[in-house]
Amino acid sequence: MGALSGVRIIELAGIGPAPFCGMMLADHGAEVIRVDRPGAPDDPADVLRRGRRSIALDLKDPRAIAIVRDLARDADGVIEGFRPGVMERLGLGPEVLLADNPKLAYGRMTGWGQTGPLAHLAGHDINYLAISGTLGAIGRKGEAPVPPLTLVADFGGGGMLLAFAMTAAILHARGGGEGQVIDCAMTEGSALLAAMIWGFRANGRWRDERGANILDTGAPFYDTYRCKDGYVAVGAIEPQFYAGLCARLGFAAEAQFDPAGWPARKAEFAALFATRTRAEWEEVFADADLCLAPVLTFAEAAAHPHAAARGSFTAPGGVVQPAPAPRFSATPAGEPETPGAPGADAAAVLRAIGYDEARIAALAEQGVIGR
């Protein structure tokens, strides 16, 4: 079930963006086999591991390396998120695996990329986001940059971009092309997500100053406002929405795009929104098409009537989590499966690639495959 049914991916276990890529592909029907480390923790609440089978291998053992090569011979793709050079030292680099399988999409997920003066250094989402220029644009006027969780570099510019790239490379190979290596760098992905802002800068519509532009809390019509007991989010960018917003709030909609008037209007909005509860403001705007929404907690988001009507969240094994997205009309994604224990599927995985029972038992007895 799913648009990627029939696609087979081998995922070398990691953290963050590479598992997110594996989750995305598995959500939409790909068979994703995760190669875990022996003794990896069993966490049924680890949403990023959902929907995969797992085999636990000690990659310091040459026999385990041979198993990974066997798994990759008939796979469409491999995902790895190690530092540059690690897979080569293990004997699982792209030259080896593409020689075994010339149609393979070999996806490499790193922060800095496979080359360049920073490629060998450690880093995290905040570092990749910082050097891309994107972090410097996020925050309020006169305040420090605000890290947007790990959503932009790790997941948007990392795992999701790699999922797109894997799909594109597999389509290319299935269309008669060759396999290839994908160098997915989170610093470049986070820059790519800011492409529209780079365009704004080029035509003079964006200043390199936080809190001074229409989408970075500089404008009164695109910001959050404190209520008596929470916040509302206002996104009334288009003139008709701004005019309607101002009418409901009792203000004149004058000089919307003149930055000189923004601080005074923001102060007026802030003072007024603080006089009522969030629920009261929701009631004021309940029938209005004016781009105002309550700022919800995770728990509130999962219970919101709109999310409930669409089934936007699910709870396999009692763990509340986002349902697979986006939605396909002809090949819908199935219900996500709760992650199994690392290594639990070793025998089934090896059986599927032709290993007999005696060989599987011997590998287990020798500790090559484990739990």
Side-chain angles (χ1 to χ4, degrees), residues 154-167:
D154 272 8
F155 296 112
M160 190 172 293
L161 193 63
L162 181 58
F164 162 76
M166 294 294 292
T167 305

Side-chain angles (χ1 to χ4, degrees), residues 89-285:
R89 290 193 292 274
L90 289 172
L92 295 172
E95 289 188 1
V96 172
L97 296 192
L98 280 163
D100 290 342
N101 179 359
K103 293 288 188 178
L104 190 70
Y106 192 110
R108 316 198 79 167
M109 182 81 264
T110 59
W112 309 111
Q114 297 296 313
T115 60
L118 301 180
H120 67 290
L121 297 178
H124 283 294
D125 181 287
I126 194 170
N127 309 119
Y128 315 135
L129 194 59
I131 202 171
S132 74
T134 307
L135 180 59
I138 302 173
R140 296 187 176 277
K141 188 176 182 66
E143 298 182 9
V146 177
L149 305 181
T150 57
L151 304 180
V152 177
D154 272 8
F155 296 112
M160 190 172 293
L161 193 63
L162 181 58
F164 162 76
M166 294 294 292
T167 305
I170 291 167
L171 284 173
H172 172 74
R174 289 190 171 188
E178 70 281 8
Q180 58 189 303
V181 180
I182 301 158
D183 179 359
C184 191
M186 286 177 260
T187 186
E188 293 166 355
S190 58
L192 184 65
L193 291 180
M196 183 180 74
I197 306 303
W198 284 89
F200 285 172
R201 288 182 73 255
N203 62 27
R205 296 168 59 196
W206 192 274
R207 290 187 285 163
D208 283 342
E209 177 187 349
R210 285 185 297 283
N213 303 283
I214 65 169
L215 300 178
D216 64 356
T217 76
F221 50 82
Y222 202 88
D223 204 350
T224 57
Y225 291 95
R226 183 189 290 273
C227 309
K228 280 186 175 181
D229 61 348
Y231 290 84
V232 291
V234 174
I237 300 173
E238 292 81 358
Q240 69 273 24
F241 296 142
Y242 183 64
L245 174 74
C246 288
R248 291 246 168 167
L249 297 178
F251 297 108
E254 299 173 345
Q256 178 185 356
F257 295 105
D258 180 6
W262 287 355
R265 179 48 53 92
K266 282 174 71 76
E268 291 173 336
F269 280 4
L272 182 57
F273 278 115
T275 64
R276 300 188 188 187
T277 66
R278 192 184 73 185
E280 287 172 333
W281 283 117
E282 287 185 78
E283 183 63 26
V284 169
F285 286 90

Side-chain angles (χ1 to χ4, degrees), residues 291-332:
C291 306
L292 182 142
V295 178
L296 304 180
T297 64
F298 282 158
E300 290 172 327
H304 191 275
H306 184 77
R310 287 181 55 81
S312 301
F313 292 87
T314 186
V319 178
V320 178
Q321 57 196 269
R327 300 178 182 219
F328 292 80
S329 61
T331 54

